[in-house]
Amino acid sequence: MILTDALRSAGAAVRLWCSPARVREEGTTPDYRFSLANERTFLAWLRTGLALIGGGFAVDQFLPRLHQGLRVTFTVVLLVGGALCALRAVNHWVRCERAMRRGEDLPVTRFPTALALGVGVLAVAMVVLVLLGRTT
């Protein structure tokens, strides 16, 4: 029952991602400046996702002497992080647009914190590897 409801809700969210015109069916049109700011935030999230994906490819291509398991782990973490960032971008855009149209508070999310912690941990691990001379 709970799983069915969750899948139904996720399906509805994905349909909104693919058909943003349906968002306009709700509430009233907000000031266009807010919608444009929401779009700029969406694009910033996409740039972050692309940067993470680029970082994943860079680790894979430019650190061939790094232990294979570590290199693959770092590469996969960065690539998955980039993909999640892109998916989160569209989800957050839709949620914010709907909230503005309904006159509700903007949704809060823990994703930026999780992303920052993940990137921070990865950066610290890379610093340790560089200091130990494991990347040469």
Side-chain angles (χ1 to χ4, degrees):
M1 177 75 173
I2 294 173
L3 180 60
T4 305
D5 291 342
L7 290 174
R8 196 171 292 130
S9 177
V14 171
R15 282 191 297 279
L16 281 175
W17 297 358
C18 298
S19 178
R22 290 182 55 205
V23 173
R24 291 184 175 175
E25 296 172 1
E26 297 185 40
T28 59
T29 303
D31 185 328
Y32 71 91
R33 293 173 293 180
F34 300 125
S35 290
L36 292 174
N38 190 28
E39 186 174 324
R40 285 190 300 273
T41 303
F42 166 76
L43 294 172
W45 278 105
L46 283 183
R47 286 190 301 271
T48 302
L50 286 171
L52 290 169
I53 290 168
F57 283 120
V59 166
D60 186 54
Q61 294 298 307
F62 298 118
L63 297 175
R65 294 186 185 168
L66 184 62
H67 183 275
Q68 169 117 8
L70 287 173
R71 192 175 81 233
V72 169
T73 300
F74 288 171
T75 298
V76 169
V77 166
L78 286 166
L79 293 174
V80 168
L84 288 174
C85 202
L87 292 173
R88 185 66 182 132
V90 70
N91 186 50
H92 190 69
W93 176 83
V94 167
R95 290 175 60 212
C96 286
E97 198 65 29
R98 290 177 79 192
M100 286 188 297
R101 295 186 70 79
R102 294 173 175 173
E104 299 172 352
D105 290 339
L106 293 179
V108 295
T109 177
R110 291 186 183 106
F111 187 77
T113 302
L115 182 65
L117 289 173
V119 169
V121 167
L122 203 60
V124 168
M126 287 301 296
V127 167
V128 169
L129 289 173
V130 167
L131 291 175
L132 293 175
R134 302 287 172 117
T135 60
T136 57

Coordinates of all heavy atoms in Angstrom, one line a residue, residues 1 8-9 11 13 20 24 26 30 36 44 48-50 57 59 62 71-72 78 81 83-85 94 101 103 128 135:
M1 N 0.8 -1.2 0.0 CA 0.0 0.0 0.0 C 0.9 1.2 0.0 O 0.7 2.1 -0.8 CB -0.9 0.0 1.2 CG -1.8 1.2 1.4 SD -3.1 1.1 0.2 CE -4.0 2.5 0.7
R8 N 3.2 5.7 -7.2 CA 2.2 6.6 -7.9 C 2.6 8.1 -7.8 O 2.6 8.8 -8.8 CB 0.8 6.4 -7.3 CG -0.3 6.9 -8.1 CD -1.7 6.5 -7.6 NE -1.9 5.1 -7.8 CZ -2.3 4.2 -6.8 NH1 -2.6 4.7 -5.6 NH2 -2.4 3.0 -7.0
S9 N 3.1 8.5 -6.6 CA 3.5 9.8 -6.4 C 4.8 10.1 -7.3 O 4.9 11.2 -7.9 CB 3.8 10.1 -5.0 OG 4.4 11.4 -4.8
G11 N 5.6 8.6 -10.0 CA 5.2 8.6 -11.4 C 4.6 10.0 -11.8 O 4.8 10.5 -12.9
A13 N 5.2 12.8 -10.4 CA 6.3 13.8 -10.4 C 7.1 13.8 -11.7 O 7.4 14.8 -12.4 CB 7.3 13.6 -9.3
P20 N 6.1 20.2 -18.4 CA 6.0 21.3 -17.5 C 4.8 22.2 -17.7 O 4.4 23.0 -16.9 CB 7.3 22.1 -17.7 CG 7.8 21.6 -19.0 CD 7.3 20.2 -19.2
R24 N 1.3 24.7 -15.2 CA 0.5 26.0 -15.3 C -1.0 25.7 -15.0 O -1.8 26.7 -14.9 CB 0.6 26.5 -16.7 CG 2.0 27.0 -17.0 CD 2.0 27.6 -18.4 NE 3.3 28.3 -18.6 CZ 3.7 28.8 -19.7 NH1 2.9 28.8 -20.8 NH2 4.9 29.3 -19.8
E26 N -2.2 24.7 -12.4 CA -2.4 24.9 -10.9 C -2.2 26.4 -10.6 O -1.4 27.0 -11.1 CB -1.3 24.1 -10.1 CG -1.5 22.6 -10.3 CD -0.5 21.9 -9.4 OE1 -0.3 22.3 -8.2 OE2 0.1 20.9 -9.9
P30 N 2.8 33.3 -11.1 CA 3.6 34.2 -10.3 C 4.3 35.3 -11.1 O 4.3 35.2 -12.3 CB 4.6 33.2 -9.7 CG 4.8 32.1 -10.7 CD 3.4 32.0 -11.3
L36 N 11.7 33.1 -13.6 CA 13.0 33.2 -14.2 C 14.2 32.9 -13.2 O 15.1 32.2 -13.6 CB 13.2 34.5 -14.9 CG 12.3 34.8 -16.1 CD1 12.5 36.2 -16.6 CD2 12.6 33.8 -17.2
A44 N 21.8 26.4 -12.8 CA 23.0 26.3 -11.9 C 23.2 24.8 -11.4 O 24.3 24.3 -11.3 CB 22.9 27.2 -10.7
T48 N 26.3 22.3 -12.1 CA 27.0 21.5 -11.0 C 27.0 20.1 -11.4 O 28.1 19.4 -11.2 CB 26.2 21.7 -9.7 OG1 26.2 23.1 -9.4 CG2 26.9 21.0 -8.6
G49 N 25.9 19.5 -11.9 CA 25.9 18.1 -12.3 C 26.9 17.8 -13.4 O 27.6 16.8 -13.4
L50 N 27.0 18.7 -14.4 CA 28.0 18.6 -15.5 C 29.4 18.6 -15.0 O 30.3 17.9 -15.4 CB 27.7 19.6 -16.6 CG 26.5 19.4 -17.4 CD1 26.3 20.7 -18.3 CD2 26.7 18.2 -18.3
F57 N 35.0 11.9 -15.2 CA 35.8 11.5 -16.3 C 37.3 11.9 -16.2 O 38.2 11.1 -16.6 CB 35.2 12.1 -17.6 CG 34.0 11.4 -18.1 CD1 32.8 12.0 -18.2 CD2 34.1 10.0 -18.4 CE1 31.7 11.4 -18.7 CE2 32.9 9.4 -18.9 CZ 31.7 10.0 -19.0
V59 N 39.0 12.1 -13.3 CA 39.6 11.1 -12.4 C 40.0 9.8 -13.2 O 41.1 9.3 -13.0 CB 38.7 10.8 -11.2 CG1 39.2 9.6 -10.4 CG2 38.7 12.0 -10.3
F62 N 42.8 10.9 -16.0 CA 44.1 11.5 -15.7 C 44.8 11.0 -14.4 O 45.8 11.5 -14.1 CB 43.9 13.0 -15.6 CG 43.4 13.6 -16.9 CD1 42.2 14.3 -17.0 CD2 44.2 13.6 -18.0 CE1 41.7 14.8 -18.2 CE2 43.7 14.1 -19.2 CZ 42.5 14.7 -19.3
R71 N 40.2 4.5 -8.0 CA 39.9 5.3 -9.2 C 38.5 5.0 -9.6 O 37.7 6.0 -9.9 CB 40.9 5.0 -10.3 CG 40.8 6.0 -11.5 CD 41.8 5.8 -12.5 NE 41.4 4.8 -13.4 CZ 42.1 3.7 -13.7 NH1 43.3 3.5 -13.2 NH2 41.6 2.8 -14.5
V72 N 38.1 3.8 -9.7 CA 36.7 3.5 -10.1 C 35.7 4.0 -9.1 O 34.7 4.5 -9.4 CB 36.6 1.9 -10.3 CG1 35.2 1.5 -10.4 CG2 37.4 1.4 -11.4
L78 N 31.5 10.4 -8.5 CA 31.3 11.7 -9.2 C 30.3 11.6 -10.3 O 29.4 12.5 -10.4 CB 32.6 12.1 -9.7 CG 33.6 12.7 -8.7 CD1 35.0 12.8 -9.3 CD2 33.2 14.0 -8.2
G81 N 26.9 11.2 -8.6 CA 26.5 12.5 -8.0 C 26.1 13.5 -9.1 O 25.1 14.3 -8.9
A83 N 24.7 12.8 -12.0 CA 23.4 12.3 -12.5 C 22.3 12.7 -11.4 O 21.2 13.2 -11.8 CB 23.4 10.8 -12.7
L84 N 22.5 12.4 -10.2 CA 21.6 12.8 -9.1 C 21.3 14.3 -9.1 O 20.2 14.8 -8.9 CB 22.0 12.3 -7.8 CG 22.0 10.8 -7.5 CD1 22.6 10.5 -6.2 CD2 20.6 10.3 -7.6
C85 N 22.4 15.1 -9.3 CA 22.2 16.5 -9.3 C 21.3 17.0 -10.4 O 20.5 17.8 -10.2 CB 23.6 17.1 -9.4 SG 23.8 18.8 -8.8
V94 N 10.4 21.9 -10.6 CA 8.9 21.7 -10.6 C 8.3 22.0 -9.2 O 7.3 22.6 -9.2 CB 8.6 20.2 -11.1 CG1 7.1 19.9 -10.8 CG2 8.9 20.0 -12.5
R101 N 3.1 29.0 -7.7 CA 1.8 29.1 -8.3 C 0.7 28.9 -7.3 O -0.4 29.5 -7.4 CB 1.6 28.1 -9.4 CG 2.5 28.3 -10.6 CD 2.2 27.4 -11.8 NE 1.0 27.8 -12.4 CZ 0.8 28.8 -13.2 NH1 1.8 29.5 -13.6 NH2 -0.4 29.0 -13.8
G103 N 1.0 29.7 -4.1 CA 1.2 30.7 -3.0 C 1.7 30.1 -1.7 O 1.5 30.6 -0.6
V128 N 44.5 13.5 0.8 CA 45.2 12.5 1.5 C 46.0 11.6 0.5 O 47.2 11.4 0.7 CB 44.3 11.6 2.4 CG1 45.0 10.3 2.9 CG2 43.7 12.4 3.5
T135 N 49.0 9.3 -6.2 CA 48.4 9.8 -7.5 C 49.5 10.0 -8.6 O 49.2 10.4 -9.7 CB 47.6 11.0 -7.3 OG1 48.5 12.1 -6.8 CG2 46.5 10.8 -6.4

